[in-house]
Amino acid sequence: MLTTVPRHRAEIVEELRRLLARGVAAEACALPFDLPAIDRHLPQGGLTCGALHEVMPEARGDMPAAFGFVAATLGRATLGRATLGRATVGRMPQRAPILLVTSPCGLAACGRLYGHGLNGFGLDPARVILVEAQNATQALWAMEEALHSAAPAAVAGVIGKLGFRASQRLHLAAGEAGRLLLLLRPPGMVSVAVTRWRVAAAAAAHDRFGLIARWRWQLRLERIRNGRPGQWIVEFDHATHRFSLAAALADPTFSRSPVAPVHAHIHAQAG
């Protein structure tokens, strides 16, 4: 019996080393906004891969805008190392698909997803695997299994409810896989998310022909682990697929002047 103790301890030490090495690799991977005003509020200069991040609409009518922000972020996750930098992208596979899981309570009141709309946010529809679950339980199961497989480059879900224990499972699965996990859901529930973002629609920027040139959102980083909360009005260029501060803002802090919201349909613009 005494001979089995050293062996058992050695196995434990080896397992701890393996887990720590995995954790460090996941920690070294982050997805930046390439916008210093926001990235400097995040401990690794971007959204940490291998962690759960929440996005919530500011009001019920802001769900399309919140989804647009999620789609734009996922679109950046598919950009190559030449664009984001080898050290930043880290372990994120460059040719892997993006998994997007929805439940009936997620986008039911906003229409259906449309390929050209996703493409406007830099999210190639050919790389998106869309799973329409029958309920929140199936949606959570699909996301968790996808993370365990480590096959997708990133995983996102749009669900109506999320329990605390379910958020723990998703967060741990994302950590083991080292993958970015975004969850769009309504407010009012506690989770273990590393960041929590509140998104509201803002008036879009138009070109000289009156067409939308850049979508804009009121963005609030409500919760951040080991970082600093902040508020901004950001815009997204559908041609360059880049974030920037709204041109009217000379200061990176959130403008408190009222902004007329634009409620666009998801199938056309999603934000």
Side-chain angles (χ1 to χ4, degrees):
M1 183 175 181
L2 291 176
T3 58
T4 62
V5 176
R7 186 187 309 170
H8 180 61
R9 288 178 178 174
E11 291 175 356
I12 293 176
V13 171
E14 181 62 29
E15 178 68 9
L16 287 174
R17 286 175 177 169
R18 184 182 65 82
L19 292 175
L20 286 171
R22 178 180 295 177
V24 170
E27 237 182 355
C29 177
L31 179 68
F33 289 94
D34 280 343
L35 188 56
I38 297 179
D39 289 339
R40 65 185 176 215
H41 282 248
L42 304 170
Q44 296 174 2
L47 293 177
T48 304
C49 297
L52 168 63
H53 303 272
E54 291 181 333
V55 178
M56 299 179 180
E58 187 67 42
R60 184 183 298 271
D62 291 318
M63 179 62 82
F67 180 80
F69 174 70
V70 170
T73 304
L74 290 174
R76 291 191 55 76
T78 65
L79 297 177
R81 285 182 172 83
T83 303
L84 293 177
R86 183 181 302 272
T88 301
V89 178
R91 300 166 61 203
M92 190 177 296
Q94 297 304 294
R95 298 184 180 276
I98 299 291
L99 182 74
L100 178 58
V101 182
T102 67
S103 67
C105 296
L107 300 172
C110 305
R112 296 179 63 85
L113 299 180
Y114 184 53
H116 289 296
L118 295 177
N119 203 39
F121 290 101
L123 191 55
D124 184 0
R127 292 187 60 180
V128 177
I129 298 177
L130 178 61
V131 176
E132 295 182 335
Q134 294 183 354
N135 51 54
T137 301
Q138 290 186 3
L140 293 169
W141 177 86
M143 286 186 287
E144 191 173 351
E145 290 300 310
L147 289 168
H148 284 313
S149 73
V155 175
V158 187
I159 63 173
K161 294 181 179 181
L162 178 71
F164 183 78
R165 290 186 180 276
S167 74
Q168 284 182 315
R169 292 199 306 271
L170 288 174
H171 180 66
L172 290 173
E176 291 176 359
R179 296 294 185 264
L180 180 69
L181 172 60
L182 297 175
L183 205 59
L184 175 56
R185 66 180 185 87
M189 291 168 282
V190 180
S191 77
V192 298
V194 172
T195 65
R196 179 182 300 131
W197 304 80
R198 295 267 190 170
V199 183
H206 294 79
D207 60 19
R208 60 193 181 95
F209 300 106
L211 301 175
I212 292 179
R214 294 179 299 277
W215 296 290
R216 286 178 176 172
W217 303 295
Q218 296 179 5
L219 188 62
R220 177 157 55 101
L221 179 54
E222 183 177 86
R223 172 185 173 182
I224 169 66
R225 189 179 302 172
N226 300 323
R228 294 181 296 129
Q231 302 182 85
W232 309 269
I233 295 180
V234 299
E235 56 187 26
F236 184 79
D237 191 320
H238 65 84
T240 63
H241 303 147
R242 289 186 176 274
F243 288 101
S244 63
L245 291 179
L249 295 180
D251 189 287
T253 56
F254 180 76
S255 173
R256 297 188 181 276
S257 59
V259 181
V262 175
H263 301 293
H265 294 292
I266 284 179
H267 69 273
Q269 298 162 358

